[in-house]
Amino acid sequence: MIKLSRLNGQSFRLNAFYIETVESFPDTTITLTNGKKYVVKENELEVVERIQQFYQAVGMIKAHSMWEENGEDE
């Protein structure tokens, strides 16, 4: 699970396995696989980094960036 903050500053934890998209509208909006949306204080890059760290912690990806490996920069 990753720790995030709602716009009012209240922190919560979100299961990264259920994240489908992370977008900026300009607020960072996370959409889960069930369609539920969360708007958070963290910017899009911070959220992606936390997801990546979570995947590393549970052994789903290696220590280097899976986005760099695939040639993606967004």
Side-chain angles (χ1 to χ4, degrees), residues 49-66:
E49 287 172 350
R50 290 179 191 187
I51 294 167
Q52 183 178 0
Q53 290 169 354
F54 171 76
Y55 286 160
Q56 288 171 359
V58 298
M60 294 216 30
I61 61 171
K62 295 180 183 176
H64 67 282
S65 171
M66 70 180 184

Side-chain angles (χ1 to χ4, degrees), residues 4-12 26-30 38-44 46-47 50:
L4 298 166
S5 302
R6 298 182 190 281
L7 293 180
N8 66 5
Q10 184 179 22
S11 66
F12 69 103
D27 292 326
T28 306
T29 304
I30 300 169
Y38 291 89
V39 179
V40 298
K41 282 179 120 175
E42 292 79 10
N43 66 45
E44 187 175 338
E46 289 175 298
V47 174
R50 290 179 191 187

Side-chain angles (χ1 to χ4, degrees), residues 23-40:
E23 303 171 277
S24 298
F25 291 127
D27 292 326
T28 306
T29 304
I30 300 169
T31 305
L32 303 184
T33 56
N34 65 4
K36 184 165 177 132
K37 295 182 184 285
Y38 291 89
V39 179
V40 298

